[in-house]
Amino acid sequence: MSSYPSPPSTSLIYHNPLTHTTLIDLPLSLSLAQHLHPPSSSYSSILSTKPPEEPYVISNEPKKWDGGNVVEELLHTQIRQVVEEGLKEIRQECQRVRQGRNWCFERYVAPASLVEGSKRRKKRKREEDLNDLAVDDLVEPTISLPFQYSQTSNSTPFILSQPRTTFQVPASITHRTITNPTLQPRTISLSSPIPSSNPTSYTIPPKATTTLSPIQSSAFSLTLPKLLSTPTSTCPPSSFDLILLDPPWPNASARRSNAYGRPRNMRETKDLLLDLELERYLTEGGIVGVWGTNKWAVRECILGKTNVGRHGPGTEEAKDGTEKDDDGEDAEEEDHMGLFDHWNVTPLAEWIWLKVTIKGEPITDLNSRWRKPYEILYLGRKAASSPSPPSPFPPSPPSPPPRHLIISVPSFHSQKPHLRSLLELQFFSSPLAPACQTAGGDSDGQGQREPAIREYRALEIFARCATAGWWSWGDEALRFAWEGWWRGGSGGGEGDEEG
């Protein structure tokens, strides 16, 4: 099999907007994100790892625990309640409608060489370390990017006017924006320095724009304003209705090595994100989504130390400003504001992404101290620029944003489900969405109705794959656009253009 003969119109296996509970197929969500609309015929499907059948065993759990942060423990208790209720709901639905079938669709499993190459890439090893693989093995290519951005770099967007465009050297596309203005996918090829080797090809989806450039460099702040003001730009300044980020949050390995310019601690990460000045590019009322780990320091970085309690566990502050944070740094008392505060963004919701086995068991123990089975997408809305008139009444404490549960069977390390369909349903759709639906039919027996999606502009930062209709930016923005990740052809055609 090379592609689905009858592609599903949605990656949502189960979706109940009333209880904010969703079961999504991760590979299918990535595949459908390559199309502006659900494909009516066979289409390409992305390769994946074999879905886990049993939960992972954590062998290095601490034998003794001092209780940790009390507020953090309270937050986890609340999240655990959401998770347990959502799992119970979907288990009942699977038993009634799906008749106990797996919690994911059938997958196209990647060859062992590609899986091994992805693991080594995760460990940031050099490309030469892959030499022990066989000659015929499928190995993911890498594009070496100069970390420092030069203002002499070509900042003119390259318009893909032909079905296929060939670039002679990788430097031709680094620190450069490539746009596909058509309704069909386009292919770009990089010539190999080895004469006998075939070019490496990447697919750019319809109406997609991608910029292959490190966010950590000055390319973003120096280039994006120019790109938005060019006559060929379809995105005027302050025109993004949605900005989604998956930042490189610091961890122990990042502190030991500064590979790829990755921030080594929370302070550097926050400075990096603040330097993006996202408030300049977000429309009034626009949506921001920031992926975060389940670390308390990450939550504070996003929501702020004075807001993190009231937007979560219901307390004013998590720690005293003089304490050490999770990264061993002195907490700075003068900066209690989170990213949302700096961007003039009000918290809207927290989407909890739970990773499960094919039978719906969390991949690690919910109460694991070191490896919890969930991550959180923090969502907020940009506030109005003009302040509202003062009220004669004292302000009431804000209610905690609702928590949505999104469940999927994981694939490659750090690969998240593409949430375009859910974001569109939540923020850019008509109010005609069905009350509850499952893949293959509505649970109420009335059939599924597709809500109308209004036009919007989206920017994904730290992207790993281009998305149809979106602008993607990052040093891995073309990673999963490589043709070797896909089964079934959807791009290219006759004609060739030199870039």
Side-chain angles (χ1 to χ4, degrees), residues 22-335:
T22 300
L23 176 62
I24 186 171
D25 186 76
L26 191 154
L28 183 56
S29 71
L30 296 170
S31 299
L32 292 180
Q34 304 301 299
H35 302 265
L36 291 172
H37 308 287
S40 57
S41 59
S42 61
Y43 71 108
S44 300
S45 52
I46 195 168
L47 299 179
S48 308
T49 62
K50 184 179 179 181
E53 299 180 1
E54 300 291 338
Y56 304 141
V57 177
I58 309 300
S59 59
N60 57 350
E61 281 285 301
K63 296 181 179 180
K64 294 183 179 181
W65 187 253
D66 59 3
N69 188 320
V70 176
V71 182
E72 184 174 5
E73 289 296 313
L74 178 59
L75 171 65
H76 171 65
T77 300
Q78 295 178 352
I79 291 178
R80 183 178 59 197
Q81 180 179 355
V82 173
V83 167
E84 291 173 345
E85 291 176 354
L87 287 174
K88 180 180 179 181
E89 176 182 343
I90 295 182
R91 284 176 183 139
Q92 292 175 344
E93 188 66 19
C94 283
Q95 185 66 29
R96 186 173 70 88
V97 177
R98 290 180 53 78
Q99 299 178 350
R101 285 178 287 179
N102 292 341
W103 288 42
C104 63
F105 294 135
E106 182 182 2
R107 293 184 174 185
Y108 297 93
V109 178
S113 59
L114 196 56
V115 175
E116 182 65 20
S118 179
K119 290 179 180 179
R120 299 187 185 207
R121 185 187 184 114
K122 167 192 168 184
K123 295 179 180 179
R124 303 291 187 182
K125 290 194 174 183
R126 297 176 301 173
E127 189 174 359
E128 292 81 1
D129 290 344
L130 299 175
N131 287 340
D132 58 336
L133 296 173
V135 175
D136 295 333
D137 283 342
L138 185 65
V139 179
E140 179 184 5
T142 58
I143 302 177
S144 298
L145 298 180
F147 177 70
Q148 294 299 328
Y149 169 75
S150 172
Q151 296 198 45
T152 61
S153 300
N154 193 343
S155 60
T156 304
F158 189 93
I159 308 299
L160 298 176
S161 58
Q162 299 296 323
R164 181 180 296 272
T165 302
T166 300
F167 294 90
Q168 297 301 323
V169 291
S172 302
I173 64 171
T174 59
H175 294 307
R176 191 174 186 183
T177 296
I178 298 174
T179 298
N180 176 9
T182 74
L183 294 175
Q184 300 298 324
R186 292 291 186 246
T187 300
I188 62 173
S189 297
L190 300 182
S191 297
S192 172
I194 304 175
S196 60
S197 299
N198 295 324
T200 303
S201 297
Y202 301 84
T203 301
I204 308 300
K207 294 292 183 179
T209 297
T210 182
T211 304
L212 187 65
S213 180
I215 298 296
Q216 294 91 328
S217 72
S218 56
F220 186 90
S221 58
L222 292 176
T223 306
L224 188 58
K226 297 178 183 178
L227 293 172
L228 294 177
S229 61
T230 59
T232 58
S233 174
T234 58
C235 297
S238 299
S239 68
F240 291 112
D241 305 293
L242 169 67
I243 298 181
L244 190 65
L245 306 92
D246 187 6
W249 296 109
N251 53 40
S253 61
R255 288 194 295 271
R256 288 191 295 266
S257 172
N258 195 27
Y260 296 88
R262 182 180 179 129
R264 293 169 296 178
N265 53 56
M266 199 61 65
R267 179 73 263 175
E268 289 185 6
T269 305
K270 187 174 183 180
D271 289 342
L272 165 66
L273 298 176
L274 291 178
D275 287 344
L276 301 180
E277 298 181 303
L278 295 188
E279 65 275 10
R280 296 176 54 188
Y281 311 112
L282 191 64
T283 58
E284 191 170 292
I287 304 299
V288 171
V290 183
W291 280 102
T293 66
N294 47 60
K295 286 185 60 176
W296 184 257
V298 171
R299 187 181 183 87
E300 286 186 329
C301 180
I302 297 172
L303 299 181
K305 295 187 178 181
T306 57
N307 293 336
V308 70
R310 69 185 186 188
H311 294 316
T315 184
E316 292 186 358
E317 195 162 325
K319 302 176 183 178
D320 181 78
T322 60
E323 290 184 4
K324 297 279 187 178
D325 64 18
D326 288 343
D327 295 298
E329 303 172 37
D330 289 322
E332 298 186 19
E333 297 183 21
E334 66 275 10
D335 186 13

Side-chain angles (χ1 to χ4, degrees), residues 55-56 58 61 76 362-369 371-373:
Y56 304 141
I58 309 300
E61 281 285 301
H76 171 65
I363 59 170
T364 61
D365 192 324
L366 268 174
N367 295 317
S368 172
R369 299 297 182 183
R371 191 176 178 183
K372 289 183 170 57

